[in-house]
Amino acid sequence: MAKEARMRLIEIEKDVKSPSLALKSAFQEDPLIRAFFPDDEVYETKVHLLFEKQVEIMGALGMTYVVENSDGEVKCAALWEPAQSPVWLYFYIFKFIAFLVWNFGFATARRLSKIFFDMEAQRHKRAPNAYHLAILGTSSDFQGRGAGSKALAPMLNRADAEKIPCYLESSNPKNVPFYERHGFKIICQLYPLQQWPEYEKNNEKGPVVTLMYRQVPS
């Protein structure tokens, strides 16, 4: 008889593989991610490496939380960063770009780097003093069980206690209502891939990214 799923929160700094697999599953139908990695084989065999590197970097900030089932498998991960990132983080960002070039080629690395810096510019313009939810994802086989809400809770509670707002970018419109239930409000919608030739020639906008902001509760 299978064990009943049990969720618990842990803070991680060293483990990267199991959260990355949960995130790979979570983002397999994400419109923005799949625009970069439309090939199913590439997605299945290489995209977990992208998430591994992100978990490694963000986990070092001490603001990453995961939800595990009763077997100890990570099924959900929430990666946060402070409003003002430490100086050492920028060193890791440039290492991350080199990692992208090595693993995904120059063209994909250039596109990924551009959207990263574009979104960072938006964040510093619109929410310079907010905690940033960089990534939240729940494995597809564990969705609908409250794992996402549980993973969000520690940092939302901390933000409320410290009277600090929160900010995120949602790359999947299906997730916007979930964030709204947790107090986030839409502040802008962007189409960061609109100038890609494959969209421009067909007069298409491409995937939408929804910027969301959570005020400090009064």
Side-chain angles (χ1 to χ4, degrees):
M1 182 175 181
K3 295 180 182 179
E4 182 180 354
R6 179 176 61 87
M7 295 180 289
R8 65 183 178 89
L9 280 168
I10 60 171
E11 185 175 353
I12 62 169
E13 293 185 25
K14 296 181 180 179
D15 178 47
V16 295
K17 186 173 183 179
S18 51
S20 71
L21 293 176
L23 291 173
K24 185 191 79 169
S25 175
F27 282 84
Q28 62 186 347
E29 295 183 2
D30 184 273
L32 185 67
I33 292 294
R34 294 315 301 260
F36 284 96
F37 305 104
D39 183 87
D40 288 340
E41 183 177 356
V42 171
Y43 189 89
E44 286 299 319
T45 60
K46 300 195 71 173
V47 168
H48 70 280
L49 299 174
L50 174 66
F51 288 121
E52 278 188 19
K53 186 59 65 173
Q54 290 175 304
V55 171
E56 176 186 342
I57 294 171
M58 302 297 291
L61 295 169
M63 300 171 70
T64 293
Y65 293 87
V66 300
V67 176
E68 299 178 327
N69 65 11
S70 58
D71 294 320
E73 299 172 318
V74 173
K75 292 296 185 178
C76 178
L79 283 61
W80 292 81
E81 62 178 317
Q84 304 299 325
S85 299
V87 174
W88 59 260
L89 184 62
Y90 295 96
F91 169 73
Y92 280 96
I93 289 173
F94 287 107
K95 285 185 64 177
F96 182 62
I97 294 172
F99 160 85
L100 292 176
V101 173
W102 180 260
N103 286 278
F104 299 102
F106 178 78
T108 298
R110 180 177 61 83
R111 285 182 161 185
L112 284 168
S113 299
K114 183 180 186 305
I115 193 171
F116 170 79
F117 287 112
D118 287 348
M119 292 299 100
E120 280 294 282
Q122 290 288 333
R123 177 168 75 94
H124 290 296
K125 173 185 175 182
R126 299 174 184 276
N129 300 312
Y131 283 136
H132 178 216
L133 177 59
I135 302 175
L136 172 67
T138 302
S139 180
S140 59
D141 66 345
F142 211 67
Q143 292 174 5
R145 304 189 191 186
S149 297
K150 196 171 184 68
L152 283 182
M155 283 303 301
L156 293 185
N157 292 337
R158 175 176 169 178
D160 290 348
E162 297 176 357
K163 298 189 182 306
I164 295 175
C166 298
Y167 175 84
L168 62 84
E169 308 94 351
S170 176
S171 54
N172 192 335
K174 293 181 179 179
N175 296 332
V176 170
F178 167 81
Y179 292 121
E180 289 178 324
R181 290 196 296 272
H182 287 83
F184 287 89
K185 305 294 184 184
I186 296 173
I187 57 174
C188 184
Q189 289 186 316
L190 304 175
Y191 296 87
L193 311 187
Q194 189 171 6
Q195 293 183 338
W196 281 18
E198 49 264 56
Y199 294 117
E200 195 172 33
K201 69 180 180 181
N202 295 319
N203 198 29
E204 298 175 351
K205 291 183 176 181
V208 62
V209 175
T210 304
L211 309 185
M212 306 187 74
Y213 188 83
R214 184 178 184 269
Q215 295 276 6
V216 177
S218 56

